[in-house]
Amino acid sequence: MAHRNNNGTTRCGSRALKKNRVSVEEDDYSSENQETQVVLSLHVSHAEDIDNPSHSTIPCDDRRYKVVVWVEPDNEYKSGKVYGLPNPKWNGRVNIKFGASLLRWGFLHVEVVGPGDKSEPGTSRGKSVSRTRIRLPKMNEEIKGRFGLVKSGGHGLKAEGYIILSMLLSQPTRHST
C-alpha cells in the first residue's frame, strides 16, 4: 500500500523513488473539472552493463547512479544514489498518478544518471548515462522485462546496457482517512 511521506516520497516497499517536481497536488480530488486519474505502479529493479569504465575520468569505485522516471515532462521521480558499476541495483517502487488524457504521451521515460565532473557535460542532476522510452501498458496490464538503453555519443545514439523494471497501469484506489 502506498504512503506519501512529508518529504515528497511515495513508498510502496523497502525503497522509494522521490518526487522531483510537482505541477499539481497529487492528492487533490476536487469534483470540479476533475479528470479521470490513472496510476502507474512502477518497480525499477536494476540496470545491466551501463557506463563503460573506459569512457570516464571518474574512478569506477566512486561512481554512483540514480534513476529518473516520468510520464509527464514536469513530474519526475528519482531514486536515491547507489554504487554498482556496471550493474547498479535500486529495487525502487513508486505509484505515479496522472490524468488519463496524458495516456496520449504513451511512454514512460527512464534515464540512468551517473556521476559528473567538470570535464564531462551533463544536466543539473548529473550526467545522463543512458536512457529509454517504454510504451505504457494498457489498463490493468502488467509489463515487465529487460529494456534496452541508449547513450548519446559522437554522431548519434548507441546501445549501451539495459534497465530491468515492471509496471502496471490501473485506476487509483481512494483511501479513507
Side-chain angles (χ1 to χ4, degrees):
M1 190 173 300
H3 174 69
R4 184 168 168 82
N5 294 318
N6 293 335
N7 65 1
T9 302
T10 304
R11 287 204 172 271
C12 295
S14 61
R15 293 196 178 175
L17 298 177
K18 186 171 137 186
K19 193 166 201 171
N20 196 26
R21 293 185 292 208
V22 181
S23 57
V24 295
E25 180 57 36
E26 190 172 9
D27 296 323
D28 183 10
Y29 277 103
S30 63
S31 59
E32 292 182 26
N33 298 326
Q34 183 62 40
E35 179 180 6
T36 301
Q37 298 285 298
V38 295
V39 175
L40 181 67
S41 298
L42 176 66
H43 174 236
V44 178
S45 177
H46 63 282
E48 296 175 349
D49 302 325
I50 62 164
D51 205 14
N52 186 333
S54 65
H55 295 150
S56 177
T57 58
I58 299 172
C60 293
D61 294 343
D62 293 336
R63 295 187 190 183
R64 297 185 313 161
Y65 300 91
K66 64 183 171 183
V67 174
V68 179
V69 297
W70 68 93
V71 174
E72 300 173 82
D74 292 330
N75 199 6
E76 295 180 345
Y77 291 79
K78 62 182 177 180
S79 71
K81 293 179 182 177
V82 298
Y83 290 97
L85 180 69
N87 302 323
K89 292 179 172 60
W90 296 278
N91 199 28
R93 296 179 185 271
V94 67
N95 289 329
I96 302 172
K97 189 184 299 182
F98 55 94
S101 65
L102 290 173
L103 289 174
R104 72 180 180 271
W105 291 93
F107 292 96
L108 171 71
H109 298 262
V110 180
E111 188 171 351
V112 177
V113 178
D117 67 15
K118 294 177 183 163
S119 67
E120 294 180 349
T123 66
S124 61
R125 59 181 184 242
K127 175 187 162 210
S128 176
V129 175
S130 300
R131 64 179 160 232
T132 191
R133 291 184 332 162
I134 303 167
R135 179 153 308 276
L136 290 172
K138 294 177 183 171
M139 193 60 69
N140 299 317
E141 173 189 26
E142 182 177 29
I143 294 177
K144 56 184 167 181
R146 185 175 183 241
F147 301 90
L149 295 167
V150 295
K151 179 178 188 163
S152 298
H155 299 288
L157 299 175
K158 71 175 194 169
E160 186 169 290
Y162 300 90
I163 189 85
I164 291 70
L165 60 80
S166 64
M167 59 182 158
L168 171 70
L169 189 66
S170 62
Q171 297 290 327
T173 57
R174 293 188 188 207
H175 303 290
S176 57
T177 56

